[in-house]
Amino acid sequence: MIVDDDPLVRSGLRLMLSAAPDMQVVAEATDGSEVVELVARHRPDLVLMDIRMPGLDGLATTELLRRRPEPTQVLILTTFTTDGYILRALRAGAAGYLLKHTPPPQIIEAVRNVLAGEPVLSKEAVQQLIATVADPVQQTVADTDREQKEAVELLDRLGEREREVALEVARGLTNAQIAAACYMSLPTVKAHVSHILTKLDLNNRVQIALVVYRAGLV
């Protein structure tokens, strides 16, 4: 499902995604207020979401979708790279953050990766997050002592192997790479990731990485 208030953007995305043999655009929306009803009706696997829209914006809409009993994956596609937007999107439960100038093949691949359970961040988004963590002035806003303490307490809920997997997720490794690095089978890694999400009450791998970052472990 495509959510964007610009009809030209929606048209271009529809043409691009519909050309992929394994994808189908089932619905479009111009505003966040339309999304929940359309998702309930069409049950898309993923929502490609803009941030700034009239009425309900993409961040608030993402929060609503991720609170549903069977939450739909959300991939943010926007023109904005401020750390506030990126952090809010990831905390809201978005599984990825891309910019609209991303080449079409990479957008299609990002959709596939999100549906496969892999987080997706544009290079610019990663750079902005790193800058936020590295900047002591911004740390007072984005990574306070209270947040660090809460993150450490969350990670204390994990077993030794789950904690090991969480660290590798934060380093950006895929499940297959974690399996090789930690000498585990792929199903075992997937099970650990699932247990981590449940124990920490998180939505996706990106949020696991954020907890590890806030705890100061990577």
Side-chain angles (χ1 to χ4, degrees):
M1 178 176 171
I2 300 169
V3 184
D4 197 295
D5 62 328
D6 188 330
L8 290 178
V9 171
R10 293 198 311 276
S11 178
L13 289 172
R14 174 180 281 275
L15 287 173
M16 177 187 69
L17 295 169
S18 297
D22 55 344
M23 295 183 193
Q24 178 184 3
V25 178
V26 297
E28 296 181 15
T30 62
D31 182 271
S33 61
E34 308 169 3
V35 172
V36 173
E37 180 183 350
L38 288 171
V39 165
R41 186 190 312 166
H42 296 283
R43 302 177 65 83
D45 296 308
L46 179 141
V47 174
L48 203 56
M49 182 88 70
D50 191 16
I51 287 183
R52 285 194 179 177
M53 296 178 289
L56 197 64
D57 68 21
L59 299 177
T61 306
T62 297
E63 291 179 351
L64 288 175
L65 291 179
R66 295 304 298 171
R67 287 202 298 262
R68 289 172 54 82
E70 296 182 3
T72 303
Q73 295 288 359
V74 177
L75 175 58
I76 298 293
L77 184 65
T78 183
T79 58
F80 303 102
T81 59
T82 62
D83 60 306
Y85 278 134
I86 298 167
L87 286 169
R88 284 181 62 197
L90 299 182
R91 287 171 177 168
Y97 196 104
L98 291 182
L99 298 183
K100 287 183 178 177
H101 66 240
T102 302
Q106 292 183 25
I107 294 177
I108 292 174
E109 188 62 24
V111 170
R112 293 189 179 116
N113 287 340
V114 167
L115 292 176
E118 304 292 347
V120 174
L121 291 174
S122 69
K123 180 177 67 175
E124 293 88 347
V126 172
Q127 291 172 341
Q128 186 63 56
L129 287 173
I130 292 173
T132 299
V133 173
D135 187 340
V137 175
Q138 294 196 45
Q139 278 185 356
T140 61
V141 176
D143 193 11
T144 63
D145 290 341
R146 177 182 57 80
E147 288 181 330
Q148 184 173 18
K149 181 181 178 181
E150 290 175 351
V152 170
E153 290 174 350
L154 279 175
L155 292 176
D156 285 343
R157 300 178 186 176
L158 304 179
E160 180 179 350
R161 293 296 265 173
E162 291 168 345
R163 188 181 180 91
E164 186 178 355
V165 170
L167 290 175
E168 298 303 339
V169 168
R171 294 186 178 108
L173 272 63
T174 65
N175 285 345
Q177 291 169 332
I178 294 173
C182 299
Y183 303 101
M184 302 178 188
S185 69
L186 187 56
T188 298
V189 173
K190 291 180 179 179
H192 281 318
V193 171
S194 178
H195 294 157
I196 293 167
L197 292 173
T198 300
K199 286 185 176 182
L200 304 190
D201 193 25
L202 302 176
N203 286 304
N204 54 54
R205 298 165 67 96
V206 177
Q207 290 187 332
I208 295 175
L210 285 176
V211 170
V212 175
Y213 279 122
R214 289 195 209 109
L217 299 182
V218 293

PDB file of all heavy atoms in Angstrom, residues 187-203:
ATOM      1  N   PRO A 187      17.762 -21.273  11.891  1.00  0.00           N
ATOM      2  CA  PRO A 187      16.512 -21.305  12.682  1.00  0.00           C
ATOM      3  C   PRO A 187      16.720 -20.865  14.129  1.00  0.00           C
ATOM      4  O   PRO A 187      15.836 -20.235  14.719  1.00  0.00           O
ATOM      5  CB  PRO A 187      16.087 -22.779  12.602  1.00  0.00           C
ATOM      6  CG  PRO A 187      16.695 -23.281  11.334  1.00  0.00           C
ATOM      7  CD  PRO A 187      18.015 -22.578  11.239  1.00  0.00           C
ATOM      8  N   THR A 188      17.893 -21.192  14.707  1.00  0.00           N
ATOM      9  CA  THR A 188      18.165 -20.780  16.088  1.00  0.00           C
ATOM     10  C   THR A 188      18.271 -19.267  16.187  1.00  0.00           C
ATOM     11  O   THR A 188      17.739 -18.653  17.119  1.00  0.00           O
ATOM     12  CB  THR A 188      19.468 -21.424  16.593  1.00  0.00           C
ATOM     13  OG1 THR A 188      19.318 -22.842  16.592  1.00  0.00           O
ATOM     14  CG2 THR A 188      19.802 -20.952  18.005  1.00  0.00           C
ATOM     15  N   VAL A 189      18.933 -18.650  15.203  1.00  0.00           N
ATOM     16  CA  VAL A 189      19.050 -17.189  15.205  1.00  0.00           C
ATOM     17  C   VAL A 189      17.668 -16.550  15.092  1.00  0.00           C
ATOM     18  O   VAL A 189      17.338 -15.609  15.815  1.00  0.00           O
ATOM     19  CB  VAL A 189      19.956 -16.711  14.054  1.00  0.00           C
ATOM     20  CG1 VAL A 189      19.925 -15.182  13.951  1.00  0.00           C
ATOM     21  CG2 VAL A 189      21.381 -17.188  14.255  1.00  0.00           C
ATOM     22  N   LYS A 190      16.857 -17.074  14.173  1.00  0.00           N
ATOM     23  CA  LYS A 190      15.510 -16.537  14.000  1.00  0.00           C
ATOM     24  C   LYS A 190      14.703 -16.664  15.286  1.00  0.00           C
ATOM     25  O   LYS A 190      13.947 -15.756  15.664  1.00  0.00           O
ATOM     26  CB  LYS A 190      14.801 -17.255  12.847  1.00  0.00           C
ATOM     27  CG  LYS A 190      15.376 -16.935  11.475  1.00  0.00           C
ATOM     28  CD  LYS A 190      14.617 -17.680  10.383  1.00  0.00           C
ATOM     29  CE  LYS A 190      15.157 -17.341   9.002  1.00  0.00           C
ATOM     30  NZ  LYS A 190      14.452 -18.073   7.921  1.00  0.00           N
ATOM     31  N   ALA A 191      14.859 -17.787  15.969  1.00  0.00           N
ATOM     32  CA  ALA A 191      14.138 -17.992  17.234  1.00  0.00           C
ATOM     33  C   ALA A 191      14.606 -16.993  18.284  1.00  0.00           C
ATOM     34  O   ALA A 191      13.792 -16.427  19.022  1.00  0.00           O
ATOM     35  CB  ALA A 191      14.343 -19.420  17.728  1.00  0.00           C
ATOM     36  N   HIS A 192      15.919 -16.765  18.357  1.00  0.00           N
ATOM     37  CA  HIS A 192      16.452 -15.800  19.322  1.00  0.00           C
ATOM     38  C   HIS A 192      15.920 -14.394  19.030  1.00  0.00           C
ATOM     39  O   HIS A 192      15.543 -13.663  19.964  1.00  0.00           O
ATOM     40  CB  HIS A 192      17.977 -15.795  19.280  1.00  0.00           C
ATOM     41  CG  HIS A 192      18.616 -16.929  20.026  1.00  0.00           C
ATOM     42  ND1 HIS A 192      18.159 -17.359  21.259  1.00  0.00           N
ATOM     43  CD2 HIS A 192      19.685 -17.707  19.731  1.00  0.00           C
ATOM     44  CE1 HIS A 192      18.917 -18.361  21.684  1.00  0.00           C
ATOM     45  NE2 HIS A 192      19.850 -18.597  20.770  1.00  0.00           N
ATOM     46  N   VAL A 193      15.900 -14.005  17.765  1.00  0.00           N
ATOM     47  CA  VAL A 193      15.396 -12.675  17.402  1.00  0.00           C
ATOM     48  C   VAL A 193      13.934 -12.543  17.819  1.00  0.00           C
ATOM     49  O   VAL A 193      13.519 -11.512  18.379  1.00  0.00           O
ATOM     50  CB  VAL A 193      15.557 -12.413  15.890  1.00  0.00           C
ATOM     51  CG1 VAL A 193      14.828 -11.124  15.486  1.00  0.00           C
ATOM     52  CG2 VAL A 193      17.028 -12.323  15.512  1.00  0.00           C
ATOM     53  N   SER A 194      13.152 -13.579  17.563  1.00  0.00           N
ATOM     54  CA  SER A 194      11.741 -13.560  17.949  1.00  0.00           C
ATOM     55  C   SER A 194      11.588 -13.432  19.456  1.00  0.00           C
ATOM     56  O   SER A 194      10.755 -12.661  19.953  1.00  0.00           O
ATOM     57  CB  SER A 194      11.054 -14.840  17.454  1.00  0.00           C
ATOM     58  OG  SER A 194       9.705 -14.865  17.844  1.00  0.00           O
ATOM     59  N   HIS A 195      12.407 -14.163  20.223  1.00  0.00           N
ATOM     60  CA  HIS A 195      12.343 -14.094  21.680  1.00  0.00           C
ATOM     61  C   HIS A 195      12.744 -12.715  22.192  1.00  0.00           C
ATOM     62  O   HIS A 195      12.153 -12.198  23.147  1.00  0.00           O
ATOM     63  CB  HIS A 195      13.253 -15.159  22.303  1.00  0.00           C
ATOM     64  CG  HIS A 195      12.807 -16.551  22.041  1.00  0.00           C
ATOM     65  ND1 HIS A 195      13.657 -17.639  22.084  1.00  0.00           N
ATOM     66  CD2 HIS A 195      11.585 -17.053  21.707  1.00  0.00           C
ATOM     67  CE1 HIS A 195      12.986 -18.742  21.799  1.00  0.00           C
ATOM     68  NE2 HIS A 195      11.731 -18.411  21.564  1.00  0.00           N
ATOM     69  N   ILE A 196      13.751 -12.114  21.550  1.00  0.00           N
ATOM     70  CA  ILE A 196      14.196 -10.770  21.946  1.00  0.00           C
ATOM     71  C   ILE A 196      13.073  -9.763  21.749  1.00  0.00           C
ATOM     72  O   ILE A 196      12.794  -8.934  22.621  1.00  0.00           O
ATOM     73  CB  ILE A 196      15.442 -10.358  21.130  1.00  0.00           C
ATOM     74  CG1 ILE A 196      16.640 -11.229  21.504  1.00  0.00           C
ATOM     75  CG2 ILE A 196      15.781  -8.884  21.373  1.00  0.00           C
ATOM     76  CD1 ILE A 196      17.803 -11.106  20.542  1.00  0.00           C
ATOM     77  N   LEU A 197      12.416  -9.825  20.603  1.00  0.00           N
ATOM     78  CA  LEU A 197      11.310  -8.903  20.326  1.00  0.00           C
ATOM     79  C   LEU A 197      10.205  -9.052  21.361  1.00  0.00           C
ATOM     80  O   LEU A 197       9.646  -8.059  21.833  1.00  0.00           O
ATOM     81  CB  LEU A 197      10.764  -9.158  18.917  1.00  0.00           C
ATOM     82  CG  LEU A 197      11.690  -8.811  17.747  1.00  0.00           C
ATOM     83  CD1 LEU A 197      11.085  -9.284  16.428  1.00  0.00           C
ATOM     84  CD2 LEU A 197      11.965  -7.313  17.686  1.00  0.00           C
ATOM     85  N   THR A 198       9.908 -10.290  21.721  1.00  0.00           N
ATOM     86  CA  THR A 198       8.848 -10.535  22.701  1.00  0.00           C
ATOM     87  C   THR A 198       9.243 -10.051  24.091  1.00  0.00           C
ATOM     88  O   THR A 198       8.480  -9.352  24.763  1.00  0.00           O
ATOM     89  CB  THR A 198       8.508 -12.032  22.748  1.00  0.00           C
ATOM     90  OG1 THR A 198       8.055 -12.458  21.457  1.00  0.00           O
ATOM     91  CG2 THR A 198       7.422 -12.308  23.778  1.00  0.00           C
ATOM     92  N   LYS A 199      10.445 -10.398  24.530  1.00  0.00           N
ATOM     93  CA  LYS A 199      10.894 -10.045  25.873  1.00  0.00           C
ATOM     94  C   LYS A 199      11.027  -8.534  26.059  1.00  0.00           C
ATOM     95  O   LYS A 199      10.756  -8.008  27.150  1.00  0.00           O
ATOM     96  CB  LYS A 199      12.236 -10.712  26.171  1.00  0.00           C
ATOM     97  CG  LYS A 199      12.154 -12.205  26.443  1.00  0.00           C
ATOM     98  CD  LYS A 199      13.507 -12.754  26.854  1.00  0.00           C
ATOM     99  CE  LYS A 199      13.417 -14.230  27.231  1.00  0.00           C
ATOM    100  NZ  LYS A 199      14.733 -14.748  27.686  1.00  0.00           N
ATOM    101  N   LEU A 200      11.452  -7.834  25.002  1.00  0.00           N
ATOM    102  CA  LEU A 200      11.664  -6.391  25.112  1.00  0.00           C
ATOM    103  C   LEU A 200      10.467  -5.592  24.631  1.00  0.00           C
ATOM    104  O   LEU A 200      10.506  -4.364  24.647  1.00  0.00           O
ATOM    105  CB  LEU A 200      12.918  -5.986  24.318  1.00  0.00           C
ATOM    106  CG  LEU A 200      14.225  -6.707  24.679  1.00  0.00           C
ATOM    107  CD1 LEU A 200      15.400  -6.030  23.991  1.00  0.00           C
ATOM    108  CD2 LEU A 200      14.433  -6.746  26.182  1.00  0.00           C
ATOM    109  N   ASP A 201       9.414  -6.301  24.179  1.00  0.00           N
ATOM    110  CA  ASP A 201       8.193  -5.648  23.694  1.00  0.00           C
ATOM    111  C   ASP A 201       8.503  -4.679  22.561  1.00  0.00           C
ATOM    112  O   ASP A 201       8.097  -3.514  22.565  1.00  0.00           O
ATOM    113  CB  ASP A 201       7.478  -4.921  24.833  1.00  0.00           C
ATOM    114  CG  ASP A 201       6.059  -4.497  24.449  1.00  0.00           C
ATOM    115  OD1 ASP A 201       5.480  -5.134  23.555  1.00  0.00           O
ATOM    116  OD2 ASP A 201       5.542  -3.528  25.049  1.00  0.00           O
ATOM    117  N   LEU A 202       9.229  -5.179  21.569  1.00  0.00           N
ATOM    118  CA  LEU A 202       9.630  -4.371  20.416  1.00  0.00           C
ATOM    119  C   LEU A 202       8.944  -4.881  19.159  1.00  0.00           C
ATOM    120  O   LEU A 202       8.430  -6.005  19.120  1.00  0.00           O
ATOM    121  CB  LEU A 202      11.150  -4.421  20.235  1.00  0.00           C
ATOM    122  CG  LEU A 202      11.989  -3.936  21.428  1.00  0.00           C
ATOM    123  CD1 LEU A 202      13.467  -4.134  21.156  1.00  0.00           C
ATOM    124  CD2 LEU A 202      11.696  -2.470  21.743  1.00  0.00           C
ATOM    125  N   ASN A 203       8.989  -4.046  18.099  1.00  0.00           N
ATOM    126  CA  ASN A 203       8.307  -4.387  16.853  1.00  0.00           C
ATOM    127  C   ASN A 203       9.208  -5.016  15.804  1.00  0.00           C
ATOM    128  O   ASN A 203       8.765  -5.813  14.990  1.00  0.00           O
ATOM    129  CB  ASN A 203       7.656  -3.140  16.247  1.00  0.00           C
ATOM    130  CG  ASN A 203       6.426  -2.708  17.001  1.00  0.00           C
ATOM    131  OD1 ASN A 203       5.502  -3.481  17.181  1.00  0.00           O
ATOM    132  ND2 ASN A 203       6.419  -1.475  17.477  1.00  0.00           N
TER     133      ASN A 203
END
